[in-house]
Amino acid sequence: MSGRRLAGFVGRRLAALLGLLLVLSFAIFSLMYLAPGSPEQVLLGTRPASPELLASLRHQFHLDVPFLERYWLWLSDAVRFDLGSSARSGRAVTSMIGDRIGVTAFLAGYAFVVAVGAGVPLGVLAAVRRRTGVDRGVVGLTVVGVSAPAFVTGVVLLYLFAVTLGWFPSYGPGSGVADRFWHLTLPALALALTALALVTKITRTAMVGVLEQDYVGFALARGVPLRRVLVRHALRNALVPIMTAAGAVVTILLTGTILVESTFSLPGLGGLLVDAVNDKDVPLLQGVVLLLAIVIVLVNLAIDILYTRVDPRIAYGRSAA
Amino acid sequence: MSAPATVAAAPAAATAPGRRRRPPLPVLLAIAVLAVAAICALLGTAIAPHGADAQDLAAGVRGPGGSHLLGTDDSGRDILSRVIAGARMAVVGPALIVLGAALIGTVLGLVAGYVGGWRDTLIMRVADAVYALPSLVVVIVLVGVVGGGYAAAVAILILFIGPFDARLVRGVTLEQRGLPYVDAARTLGLSRRRIMFRHVWPNVLPVVVANSFLNFAYALVALSALSFLGIGVDPGEADWGRMLSDNLSLIEDNPMAPLAPGIALVLLAVAMNLVGDWLYEQLSDRGRAR
């Protein structure tokens, strides 16, 4: 696999994803016009309509130019990190997002580590101990995990570990690294459970398939230690479906932060999104959703590239999609 | 929460062909849970010990005990009665979504699988695009900004879940297309539409039914998440998600106030997933025995 082919592959995927992002950005831009009321009314929000404010809004959101040109101006502003200002508070949307992004990134990262770090070993364990009590226990846990939404898991954890046992705080993000870990452990666990169940389920299914292959039996017969067979022979071949699930995991986590932040009263992006919806604050909403779209697209690109590193058989651009 | 639970790999327990196995214990329990949920949804307030909206402001929030098995909320309303009353919302909304998704998914899947060509490509491309979007975010944004409330949430979720049925039906249709009965029907000169919707359709139905149980769990969780966030359901309505968020602040005074609706929600979702997985297993066993 030459560097040029890799570059060509990444270029093609990047082009496809940029196209997708362009479509999504147009949909997000259109939200302003889907909302009931004229754009001026939407942008004013609950503020009193003074001629000066109206004029400045018309100017800031380019309301005097034709629709498509307006989209183009909005997009070029967005690329320069200018997403307009909130219809509620008048603050710049990018700085509002900046204030909140830390908690959400920490929470989602923490949950991702938990979901993958525990899900892959659990799935491998269930596959190796197939049709035993261990396997049935793990499978049962995955059914509960897939069925339980993050806000229910959150309330149960809150009740057990914060209210009853008092081990963890029940709200707030904490300050400083150690304090933040302590504050965000319960939210991260609540957030991770659904993703953890998905990773475990997919790892188990993939490993069950791989462990039935002849080369695994031969490797064991040759006297290769089980641990080495599992990691080097079996897991590497099971990794492609697991990585496909990782894309879904990121989507689950980003959606889940909306629910978990609300359960644990955390000042993150999910809470900002819900506030924006309840206040009908369209510019703020557009900013948060655009950011989510970019993150999801970038994660998918990263996974596409990782595929080719894990499994060189994947012909660039043919079966990687 | 981006996709309905995928089908678990069926533990390939070799069974004698033609012999019906009794469902395992967890599945029997799940069926019992579904029966209870159905009874609560049908009879609702008639079997509840108290009125779901009967307030007793003087009494206020109380823990479990006395005539209130699960205690009361801050307006003195009986938690157990409200959970029972909430079963109606929990069953009707997801049932509508599942039926709508099965209808759209079956038609699109049959066309994609049987007719093929550009229709197949188009349908599958659209399905891929829908998979990539986080459904909950889309519903929150559209229902929150454009409006439409509960009905809009149900409609959007149908459009999100339908493609999962479509992909499944397409796969089964591709298998069925090669079977002799389809050739026979074609030789008889039956129209494409008639073959698809009269002859192939009954063979696709069992998989759609099994999948609908999994879809139900997904739809229930999605709708409850929306009402938890206060979108699509009016405040004070007896809906499990809404109850959970309304009562979150009462967790120290009466833990059952937020916990009971959450547990009811998870029980129903787990039961649906268990029955769905089990039905799938039966179908794949049947396929192997043939």
Side-chain angles (χ1 to χ4, degrees):
Chain A
M1 294 296 179
S2 68
R4 250 187 53 210
R5 284 189 64 190
L6 182 62
F9 166 72
V10 173
R12 271 198 309 279
R13 292 303 300 161
L14 203 59
L17 290 170
L18 276 178
L20 176 65
L21 207 52
L22 212 58
V23 173
L24 286 176
S25 72
F26 187 75
I28 291 167
F29 168 75
S30 308
L31 277 176
M32 180 81 76
Y33 307 94
L34 290 172
S38 69
E40 287 90 344
Q41 285 169 325
V42 171
L43 288 170
L44 270 175
T46 51
R47 291 175 287 185
S50 69
E52 295 79 29
L53 184 57
L54 268 179
S56 95
L57 286 176
R58 290 193 71 84
H59 174 72
Q60 193 191 354
F61 290 90
H62 316 293
L63 294 183
D64 296 319
V65 299
F67 186 72
L68 282 177
E69 198 182 333
R70 209 181 297 162
Y71 166 61
W72 177 246
L73 289 171
W74 177 80
L75 193 65
S76 30
D77 280 349
V79 170
R80 279 185 247 112
F81 297 106
D82 175 8
L83 292 165
S85 54
S86 157
R88 187 82 176 179
S89 63
R91 282 188 62 201
V93 167
T94 37
S95 75
M96 291 176 81
I97 291 177
D99 288 348
R100 300 284 202 110
I101 200 168
V103 171
T104 301
F106 194 102
L107 187 61
Y110 195 169
F112 186 84
V113 170
V114 171
V116 174
V120 171
L122 270 178
V124 171
L125 179 73
V128 173
R129 300 253 177 278
R130 200 166 154 219
R131 284 183 221 150
T132 65
V134 175
D135 182 26
R136 275 192 286 275
V138 171
V139 170
L141 264 179
T142 63
V143 174
V144 176
V146 166
S147 311
F151 58 92
V152 176
T153 322
V155 175
V156 172
L157 291 176
L158 199 60
Y159 175 64
L160 287 180
F161 296 105
V163 176
T164 309
L165 296 170
W167 292 352
F168 291 96
S170 57
Y171 61 89
S175 49
V177 175
D179 194 41
R180 176 150 291 191
F181 262 110
W182 188 52
H183 273 83
L184 292 187
T185 293
L186 288 186
L189 288 180
L191 183 56
L193 185 70
T194 308
L196 170 73
L198 183 71
V199 173
T200 307
K201 203 168 179 172
I202 304 236
T203 305
R204 180 185 171 277
T205 310
M207 284 296 280
V208 163
V210 172
L211 288 176
E212 279 171 356
Q213 300 294 314
D214 287 340
Y215 62 80
V216 171
F218 284 134
L220 288 171
R222 279 206 312 275
V224 181
L226 177 67
R227 179 184 295 264
R228 194 179 155 84
V229 173
L230 284 181
V231 175
R232 293 289 294 270
H233 298 242
L235 192 56
R236 178 152 186 196
N237 279 293
L239 219 48
V240 168
I242 296 174
M243 277 170 35
T244 309
V249 163
V250 171
T251 311
I252 291 173
L253 292 179
L254 290 179
T255 311
T257 52
I258 301 171
L259 303 169
V260 168
E261 284 171 14
S262 177
T263 311
F264 289 89
S265 340
L266 297 173
L269 285 181
L272 198 62
L273 180 76
V274 175
D275 290 347
V277 166
N278 287 331
D279 296 342
K280 306 254 185 263
D281 189 342
V282 176
L284 180 58
L285 191 68
Q286 287 175 319
V288 177
V289 177
L290 190 64
L291 180 67
L292 282 177
I294 291 171
V295 170
I296 289 175
V297 164
L298 285 181
V299 166
N300 279 301
L301 177 68
I303 289 170
D304 282 345
I305 295 172
L306 280 174
Y307 274 140
T308 62
R309 313 301 307 174
V310 169
D311 189 348
R313 285 170 305 183
I314 291 180
Y316 291 147
R318 271 196 284 133
S319 54
Chain B
M1 220 179 295
S2 76
T6 43
V7 185
T15 44
R19 257 184 60 190
R20 223 167 240 287
R21 268 182 310 164
R22 205 168 63 99
L25 185 64
V27 176
L28 288 176
L29 289 175
I31 293 172
V33 169
L34 297 191
V36 171
I39 292 170
C40 292
L42 274 177
L43 302 176
T45 44
I47 52 170
H50 298 269
D53 298 315
Q55 300 191 354
D56 185 354
L57 288 169
V61 55
R62 266 179 306 175
S67 71
H68 300 286
L69 204 58
L70 297 176
T72 56
D73 65 12
D74 50 351
S75 312
R77 295 179 294 194
D78 182 53
I79 297 296
L80 177 63
S81 303
R82 287 184 70 71
V83 170
I84 291 174
R88 186 163 295 171
M89 291 287 275
V91 169
V92 173
L96 284 175
I97 291 172
V98 161
L99 285 177
L103 195 70
I104 293 179
T106 306
V107 172
L108 290 181
L110 279 172
V111 170
Y114 191 81
V115 180
W118 64 267
R119 295 178 185 84
D120 183 24
T121 314
L122 179 70
I123 291 169
M124 285 303 113
R125 280 287 161 276
V126 172
D128 284 342
V130 171
Y131 285 165
L133 295 174
S135 56
L136 192 64
V137 176
V138 176
V139 184
I140 290 172
V141 168
L142 283 183
V143 175
V145 172
V146 186
Y150 196 73
V154 168
I156 298 170
L157 284 171
I158 288 176
L159 296 182
F160 265 97
I161 297 178
F164 286 89
D165 286 314
R167 169 154 299 188
L168 199 68
V169 169
R170 174 179 179 269
V172 181
T173 307
L174 285 176
E175 282 171 21
Q176 296 287 326
R177 221 173 79 159
L179 295 181
Y181 77 88
V182 176
D183 289 337
R186 208 177 303 138
T187 316
L188 284 171
L190 300 187
S191 72
R192 214 160 53 178
R193 183 173 301 176
R194 196 179 161 92
I195 297 174
M196 275 194 286
F197 295 112
R198 293 289 287 275
H199 297 262
V200 179
W201 177 73
N203 296 297
V204 167
L205 188 64
V207 183
V208 175
V209 171
N211 197 51
S212 290
F213 280 87
L214 306 184
N215 285 345
F216 187 104
Y218 176 73
L220 171 64
V221 166
L223 276 180
S224 306
L226 285 178
S227 56
F228 172 78
L229 294 172
I231 295 165
V233 180
D234 298 324
E237 188 144 7
D239 173 280
W240 293 342
R242 185 83 214 191
M243 277 177 77
L244 205 154
S245 62
D246 285 346
N247 295 343
L248 199 54
S249 57
L250 308 177
I251 195 164
E252 309 228 7
D253 301 310
N254 178 12
M256 275 302 140
L259 282 176
I263 291 168
L265 171 59
V266 173
L267 270 181
L268 184 54
V270 168
M272 286 288 174
N273 272 326
L274 280 175
V275 173
D277 280 343
W278 180 73
L279 285 176
Y280 254 112
E281 255 171 61
Q282 300 312 105
L283 289 175
S284 52
D285 281 358
R286 198 180 66 176
R288 213 172 296 128
R290 243 188 231 142

